[in-house]
Coordinates of all heavy atoms in Angstrom, one line a residue:
M1 N 172.2 89.2 90.4 CA 172.2 88.9 91.8 C 171.9 90.1 92.6 O 171.4 90.0 93.7 CB 173.8 88.6 92.1 CG 174.0 88.0 93.5 SD 173.6 86.3 93.6 CE 174.1 85.9 95.2
N2 N 172.2 91.3 92.2 CA 171.8 92.5 92.9 C 170.3 92.6 93.2 O 169.9 93.1 94.2 CB 172.4 93.8 92.2 CG 172.3 95.0 93.1 OD1 172.2 94.8 94.3 ND2 172.4 96.2 92.5
K3 N 169.5 92.2 92.2 CA 168.1 92.3 92.3 C 167.6 91.3 93.4 O 166.7 91.6 94.1 CB 167.4 92.0 90.9 CG 166.0 92.2 91.0 CD 165.5 92.0 89.5 CE 164.0 92.5 89.6 NZ 163.5 93.0 88.3
R4 N 168.2 90.2 93.5 CA 167.8 89.2 94.6 C 168.2 89.8 96.0 O 167.3 89.7 96.8 CB 168.6 87.9 94.3 CG 168.2 87.0 95.4 CD 169.0 85.7 95.3 NE 169.0 84.8 96.4 CZ 168.6 83.6 96.3 NH1 168.2 83.1 95.2 NH2 168.4 82.9 97.4
N5 N 169.3 90.5 96.1 CA 169.5 91.1 97.4 C 168.5 92.2 97.8 O 168.2 92.4 98.9 CB 171.0 91.8 97.3 CG 172.1 90.7 97.3 OD1 171.8 89.5 97.7 ND2 173.2 91.1 96.9
N6 N 168.1 92.9 96.8 CA 167.1 94.0 97.0 C 165.8 93.4 97.4 O 165.1 93.9 98.3 CB 166.9 94.9 95.8 CG 168.1 95.7 95.6 OD1 168.9 96.0 96.4 ND2 168.3 96.2 94.4
S7 N 165.4 92.3 96.8 CA 164.1 91.6 97.1 C 164.1 91.1 98.5 O 163.2 91.0 99.3 CB 163.7 90.6 96.1 OG 164.7 89.6 96.1
I8 N 165.3 90.5 98.9 CA 165.5 90.0 100.3 C 165.4 91.1 101.3 O 164.7 91.0 102.3 CB 166.8 89.2 100.4 CG1 166.7 87.9 99.6 CG2 167.0 88.9 101.9 CD1 168.0 87.2 99.5
L9 N 166.0 92.2 101.1 CA 165.9 93.3 101.9 C 164.4 93.9 102.0 O 164.0 94.2 103.1 CB 166.9 94.5 101.5 CG 167.0 95.7 102.3 CD1 167.4 95.4 103.7 CD2 167.8 96.7 101.6
Y10 N 163.8 93.9 100.9 CA 162.4 94.4 100.8 C 161.5 93.5 101.7 O 160.7 93.9 102.5 CB 161.9 94.4 99.4 CG 160.6 95.1 99.2 CD1 160.5 96.5 99.0 CD2 159.4 94.3 99.2 CE1 159.3 97.1 98.8 CE2 158.2 95.0 99.0 CZ 158.2 96.3 98.8 OH 157.0 97.0 98.6
L11 N 161.8 92.2 101.6 CA 161.0 91.2 102.5 C 161.3 91.4 103.9 O 160.4 91.4 104.8 CB 161.4 89.8 102.0 CG 160.7 88.7 102.8 CD1 159.1 88.7 102.6 CD2 161.3 87.4 102.5
I12 N 162.5 91.5 104.3 CA 162.9 91.7 105.7 C 162.4 93.0 106.3 O 161.8 92.9 107.4 CB 164.5 91.7 105.9 CG1 165.0 90.3 105.5 CG2 164.9 92.1 107.2 CD1 166.4 90.1 105.5
L13 N 162.4 94.0 105.6 CA 161.9 95.3 106.1 C 160.3 95.2 106.2 O 159.7 95.8 107.1 CB 162.3 96.5 105.3 CG 163.7 96.9 105.4 CD1 164.1 98.0 104.5 CD2 164.0 97.3 106.8
G14 N 159.7 94.5 105.2 CA 158.3 94.3 105.3 C 157.9 93.5 106.6 O 157.0 93.8 107.3
L15 N 158.7 92.4 106.9 CA 158.4 91.7 108.1 C 158.7 92.5 109.4 O 158.0 92.3 110.4 CB 159.3 90.4 108.1 CG 159.0 89.4 107.0 CD1 160.0 88.2 107.0 CD2 157.5 88.9 107.2
Y16 N 159.7 93.4 109.3 CA 159.9 94.2 110.5 C 158.8 95.2 110.7 O 158.4 95.4 111.8 CB 161.2 95.0 110.2 CG 161.6 95.9 111.4 CD1 162.1 95.3 112.5 CD2 161.4 97.2 111.3 CE1 162.5 96.1 113.5 CE2 161.8 98.1 112.4 CZ 162.3 97.5 113.5 OH 162.7 98.3 114.5
S17 N 158.2 95.7 109.6 CA 157.0 96.5 109.7 C 155.8 95.8 110.3 O 155.1 96.4 111.2 CB 156.6 97.2 108.4 OG 156.0 96.2 107.5
I18 N 155.7 94.5 110.1 CA 154.7 93.7 110.7 C 154.9 93.6 112.2 O 154.0 93.7 113.0 CB 154.6 92.3 110.0 CG1 154.0 92.4 108.7 CG2 153.8 91.3 110.9 CD1 154.1 91.1 107.8
M19 N 156.2 93.4 112.6 CA 156.5 93.2 114.0 C 156.3 94.6 114.7 O 155.7 94.5 115.8 CB 158.0 92.9 114.2 CG 158.3 91.4 113.8 SD 159.9 90.9 114.3 CE 160.8 91.2 112.8
V20 N 156.5 95.6 114.1 CA 156.4 97.0 114.8 C 154.8 97.2 114.8 O 154.4 97.7 115.9 CB 157.0 98.1 114.0 CG1 156.6 99.5 114.5 CG2 158.6 97.9 114.1
S21 N 154.1 97.0 113.8 CA 152.6 97.2 113.9 C 152.0 96.4 114.9 O 151.1 96.8 115.6 CB 152.1 96.9 112.4 OG 150.7 97.0 112.4
W22 N 152.4 95.1 115.0 CA 151.7 94.2 116.0 C 152.1 94.6 117.4 O 151.3 94.5 118.3 CB 152.0 92.7 115.7 CG 151.3 91.8 116.6 CD1 151.8 91.2 117.7 CD2 149.9 91.4 116.5 NE1 150.8 90.5 118.3 CE2 149.7 90.6 117.6 CE3 148.9 91.7 115.6 CZ2 148.4 90.1 117.8 CZ3 147.7 91.2 115.7 CH2 147.4 90.3 116.8
Y23 N 153.3 95.0 117.6 CA 153.8 95.5 118.9 C 153.0 96.6 119.5 O 152.6 96.7 120.6 CB 155.3 95.8 118.8 CG 155.9 96.2 120.2 CD1 156.3 95.2 120.9 CD2 156.0 97.5 120.6 CE1 157.0 95.5 122.2 CE2 156.6 97.8 121.8 CZ 157.1 96.8 122.6 OH 157.7 97.1 123.8
Y24 N 152.7 97.6 118.5 CA 151.9 98.8 119.1 C 150.3 98.7 118.9 O 149.7 99.3 119.7 CB 152.4 100.0 118.3 CG 153.7 100.5 118.7 CD1 154.8 100.6 117.8 CD2 154.0 100.9 119.9 CE1 156.0 101.0 118.1 CE2 155.2 101.3 120.3 CZ 156.2 101.4 119.4 OH 157.4 101.9 119.9
N25 N 149.9 97.9 117.9 CA 148.4 97.9 117.7 C 147.7 96.6 118.0 O 146.5 96.7 118.3 CB 148.2 98.3 116.2 CG 148.8 99.5 115.8 OD1 148.7 100.5 116.5 ND2 149.6 99.6 114.7
H26 N 148.3 95.5 117.9 CA 147.6 94.2 118.0 C 146.3 94.1 117.2 O 145.3 93.7 117.7 CB 147.3 93.9 119.5 CG 148.5 93.8 120.4 ND1 149.3 92.7 120.4 CD2 149.0 94.6 121.3 CE1 150.3 92.8 121.2 NE2 150.2 94.0 121.8
S27 N 146.4 94.4 115.9 CA 145.3 94.4 115.0 C 145.7 93.6 113.7 O 146.7 94.1 113.1 CB 144.8 95.7 114.8 OG 143.8 95.7 113.7
I28 N 145.0 92.7 113.4 CA 145.3 91.9 112.1 C 145.1 92.8 110.9 O 145.9 92.9 109.9 CB 144.4 90.7 111.9 CG1 144.8 89.7 113.1 CG2 144.6 90.0 110.6 CD1 146.1 89.1 113.0
L29 N 144.0 93.6 110.9 CA 143.8 94.5 109.8 C 144.9 95.5 109.6 O 145.3 95.8 108.5 CB 142.4 95.2 110.0 CG 142.0 96.2 108.9 CD1 141.7 95.4 107.6 CD2 140.7 96.9 109.3
L30 N 145.3 96.1 110.7 CA 146.4 97.1 110.6 C 147.7 96.5 110.2 O 148.5 97.1 109.5 CB 146.6 97.9 111.9 CG 145.5 98.9 112.2 CD1 145.7 99.5 113.6 CD2 145.4 100.0 111.1
V31 N 147.9 95.2 110.6 CA 149.1 94.6 110.2 C 149.2 94.4 108.7 O 150.1 94.6 108.0 CB 149.2 93.2 110.9 CG1 150.3 92.3 110.2 CG2 149.6 93.4 112.3
I32 N 148.0 94.0 108.0 CA 147.9 93.8 106.6 C 148.1 95.2 105.9 O 148.9 95.3 104.9 CB 146.5 93.2 106.3 CG1 146.5 91.7 106.8 CG2 146.3 93.2 104.8 CD1 145.1 91.1 106.7
I33 N 147.4 96.1 106.5 CA 147.6 97.5 105.7 C 149.1 98.1 105.9 O 149.7 98.6 104.9 CB 146.6 98.5 106.4 CG1 145.2 98.1 106.0 CG2 146.9 99.9 106.0 CD1 144.1 98.9 106.7
H34 N 149.7 97.8 107.1 CA 151.0 98.3 107.2 C 152.0 97.5 106.4 O 153.1 98.0 106.0 CB 151.4 98.3 108.7 CG 150.6 99.4 109.5 ND1 150.4 99.2 110.8 CD2 150.1 100.6 109.1 CE1 149.7 100.2 111.2 NE2 149.5 101.1 110.3
Y35 N 151.7 96.2 106.2 CA 152.6 95.5 105.3 C 152.6 95.9 103.9 O 153.5 96.0 103.2 CB 152.3 93.9 105.4 CG 153.2 93.1 104.5 CD1 154.6 93.0 104.9 CD2 152.7 92.6 103.4 CE1 155.4 92.2 104.0 CE2 153.5 91.8 102.6 CZ 154.9 91.6 102.9 OH 155.7 90.9 102.1
I36 N 151.4 96.3 103.4 CA 151.2 96.7 102.1 C 151.9 98.1 101.9 O 152.6 98.3 100.8 CB 149.7 96.9 101.7 CG1 149.1 95.5 101.6 CG2 149.6 97.6 100.3 CD1 147.6 95.5 101.6
F37 N 151.8 99.0 102.8 CA 152.4 100.3 102.7 C 153.6 100.5 103.7 O 153.7 101.5 104.3 CB 151.4 101.4 103.0 CG 150.2 101.3 102.1 CD1 148.9 100.9 102.5 CD2 150.4 101.7 100.8 CE1 147.9 100.8 101.7 CE2 149.3 101.7 99.9 CZ 148.1 101.3 100.4
W38 N 154.3 99.4 103.8 CA 155.5 99.4 104.9 C 156.5 100.6 104.7 O 157.0 101.1 105.7 CB 156.2 98.1 105.0 CG 157.0 97.7 103.9 CD1 156.7 96.9 102.9 CD2 158.4 98.1 103.7 NE1 157.8 96.7 102.0 CE2 158.8 97.5 102.5 CE3 159.3 98.9 104.4 CZ2 160.1 97.7 102.0 CZ3 160.6 99.1 103.9 CH2 161.0 98.5 102.7
P39 N 156.9 101.0 103.5 CA 157.9 102.1 103.5 C 157.3 103.4 104.1 O 158.0 104.1 104.9 CB 158.2 102.3 102.0 CG 157.8 101.1 101.4 CD 156.6 100.5 102.1
I40 N 156.1 103.7 103.8 CA 155.4 104.9 104.4 C 155.3 104.6 105.9 O 155.6 105.6 106.7 CB 154.1 105.2 103.7 CG1 154.3 105.4 102.2 CG2 153.4 106.3 104.4 CD1 153.1 105.4 101.4
Y41 N 154.8 103.5 106.3 CA 154.6 103.3 107.8 C 155.9 103.3 108.5 O 155.9 103.9 109.6 CB 154.0 101.8 107.9 CG 153.8 101.5 109.4 CD1 152.9 102.2 110.2 CD2 154.5 100.4 109.9 CE1 152.7 101.8 111.5 CE2 154.3 100.1 111.3 CZ 153.4 100.8 112.0 OH 153.3 100.5 113.4
L42 N 157.0 102.8 108.1 CA 158.2 102.8 108.9 C 158.7 104.2 108.8 O 159.3 104.6 109.9 CB 159.2 101.8 108.2 CG 159.0 100.3 108.5 CD1 160.2 99.5 107.8 CD2 158.9 100.1 110.0
L43 N 158.7 104.9 107.8 CA 159.1 106.3 107.8 C 158.3 107.1 108.8 O 158.9 107.9 109.6 CB 158.9 106.9 106.4 CG 159.4 108.3 106.2 CD1 160.9 108.4 106.5 CD2 159.2 108.8 104.9
Y44 N 157.0 106.8 108.9 CA 156.1 107.5 109.8 C 156.5 107.2 111.3 O 156.6 108.1 112.1 CB 154.6 107.2 109.6 CG 153.7 107.6 110.7 CD1 153.3 108.9 110.8 CD2 153.2 106.7 111.6 CE1 152.5 109.4 111.8 CE2 152.4 107.1 112.7 CZ 152.0 108.4 112.8 OH 151.2 108.8 113.8
E45 N 156.8 105.9 111.6 CA 157.2 105.6 112.9 C 158.5 106.2 113.2 O 158.8 106.6 114.4 CB 157.3 104.0 113.0 CG 156.0 103.3 112.9 CD 155.0 103.6 114.1 OE1 155.6 103.9 115.2 OE2 153.8 103.7 113.9
L46 N 159.5 106.3 112.3 CA 160.8 106.9 112.6 C 160.6 108.3 112.9 O 161.2 108.9 113.8 CB 161.7 106.7 111.4 CG 162.4 105.4 111.2 CD1 163.1 105.3 109.9 CD2 163.4 105.1 112.4
L47 N 159.8 109.1 112.1 CA 159.6 110.5 112.3 C 158.7 110.8 113.6 O 158.9 111.8 114.2 CB 158.9 111.1 111.1 CG 159.7 111.1 109.8 CD1 159.0 111.7 108.6 CD2 161.1 111.9 110.0
N48 N 157.9 109.9 113.9 CA 157.0 110.0 115.1 C 157.8 109.8 116.4 O 157.4 110.2 117.4 CB 155.8 109.1 115.0 CG 154.7 109.4 115.9 OD1 154.6 110.6 116.3 ND2 153.9 108.4 116.2
G49 N 159.0 109.1 116.3 CA 159.8 108.8 117.4 C 159.5 107.6 118.2 O 160.0 107.3 119.3
R50 N 158.6 106.7 117.6 CA 158.3 105.4 118.3 C 159.3 104.3 118.2 O 159.3 103.3 118.8 CB 156.9 104.9 117.8 CG 155.8 105.9 118.2 CD 154.5 105.5 117.6 NE 153.9 104.3 118.3 CZ 152.7 103.8 118.1 NH1 152.0 104.4 117.1 NH2 152.3 102.8 118.7
L51 N 160.3 104.6 117.3 CA 161.4 103.7 117.1 C 162.7 104.2 117.8 O 163.8 103.6 117.6 CB 161.7 103.3 115.7 CG 160.5 102.6 115.0 CD1 160.9 102.3 113.6 CD2 160.2 101.3 115.7
A52 N 162.5 105.3 118.6 CA 163.7 106.0 119.2 C 164.0 105.2 120.5 O 163.3 104.4 121.0 CB 163.4 107.4 119.5
H53 N 165.2 105.5 121.0 CA 165.6 105.0 122.3 C 165.7 103.4 122.3 O 165.2 102.8 123.2 CB 164.7 105.4 123.5 CG 164.6 107.0 123.5 ND1 165.6 107.8 123.9 CD2 163.6 107.7 123.3 CE1 165.2 109.0 123.8 NE2 164.0 109.0 123.5
N54 N 166.3 103.0 121.2 CA 166.5 101.5 121.1 C 165.3 100.7 120.9 O 165.3 99.4 121.0 CB 167.4 100.9 122.2 CG 168.8 101.2 122.0 OD1 169.3 101.4 120.9 ND2 169.5 101.2 123.1
M55 N 164.1 101.3 120.7 CA 162.9 100.5 120.4 C 163.0 99.7 119.1 O 162.4 98.7 119.0 CB 161.7 101.4 120.4 CG 161.2 101.9 121.8 SD 161.0 100.5 123.0 CE 159.5 99.8 122.3
W56 N 163.8 100.3 118.2 CA 163.9 99.6 116.9 C 164.6 98.2 117.1 O 164.4 97.2 116.4 CB 164.8 100.4 116.0 CG 166.2 100.6 116.4 CD1 166.7 101.6 117.2 CD2 167.3 99.8 116.2 NE1 168.0 101.5 117.4 CE2 168.5 100.3 116.9 CE3 167.5 98.6 115.5 CZ2 169.7 99.7 116.8 CZ3 168.8 98.0 115.5 CH2 169.9 98.6 116.1
K57 N 165.3 98.1 118.3 CA 166.0 96.8 118.6 C 165.2 96.0 119.6 O 165.2 94.8 119.5 CB 167.4 97.1 119.2 CG 168.3 95.9 119.4 CD 169.7 96.3 119.7 CE 169.8 96.6 121.1 NZ 171.1 96.8 121.6
I58 N 164.5 96.6 120.5 CA 163.7 96.0 121.6 C 162.5 95.3 120.9 O 162.2 94.1 121.4 CB 163.3 96.9 122.6 CG1 164.6 97.5 123.3 CG2 162.3 96.3 123.6 CD1 164.3 98.6 124.3
I59 N 161.9 95.8 120.0 CA 160.7 95.2 119.4 C 160.9 93.8 118.8 O 160.2 92.9 119.1 CB 160.0 96.2 118.4 CG1 159.4 97.4 119.1 CG2 158.9 95.5 117.6 CD1 159.0 98.5 118.2
P60 N 161.9 93.7 117.9 CA 162.1 92.3 117.4 C 162.6 91.3 118.5 O 162.3 90.1 118.4 CB 163.2 92.5 116.3 CG 163.2 93.9 116.0 CD 162.7 94.6 117.2
E61 N 163.3 91.8 119.4 CA 163.9 90.9 120.6 C 162.7 90.5 121.4 O 162.7 89.3 122.0 CB 164.9 91.7 121.4 CG 166.2 91.9 120.8 CD 167.1 92.7 121.6 OE1 166.7 93.1 122.8 OE2 168.3 92.8 121.3
S62 N 161.6 91.2 121.5 CA 160.4 90.8 122.3 C 159.8 89.6 121.7 O 159.1 88.9 122.4 CB 159.5 92.0 122.5 OG 158.8 92.3 121.3
Y63 N 159.9 89.4 120.5 CA 159.3 88.2 119.8 C 160.0 86.9 120.0 O 159.5 85.9 119.9 CB 159.0 88.5 118.4 CG 158.0 89.5 118.1 CD1 158.3 90.8 117.7 CD2 156.6 89.2 118.1 CE1 157.4 91.7 117.5 CE2 155.6 90.1 118.0 CZ 156.0 91.4 117.6 OH 155.1 92.4 117.4
F64 N 161.3 87.1 120.3 CA 162.2 85.9 120.4 C 162.6 85.6 121.9 O 163.4 84.7 122.1 CB 163.3 86.1 119.5 CG 163.0 86.2 118.0 CD1 163.2 87.4 117.4 CD2 162.6 85.2 117.4 CE1 162.9 87.6 116.1 CE2 162.2 85.3 116.0 CZ 162.3 86.5 115.4
N65 N 162.1 86.3 122.8 CA 162.4 86.0 124.2 C 161.3 85.2 124.8 O 160.3 85.2 124.6 CB 162.6 87.3 125.0 CG 163.9 88.0 124.6 OD1 164.8 87.3 124.2 ND2 164.0 89.3 124.8

């Protein structure tokens, strides 16, 4: 059961990286690349500061409003 929880988390974070990538770039090619390498991409975005100041929360909300 623990392996299933990890795979669901992996999928959710991968989808989150797609949302972040599309929010900033609007490129299908970059979305595909960022989904493949999402752990590196999300770490880069965190260190770069583009997810600071509640942007980590605003980006997903922008797709559902």
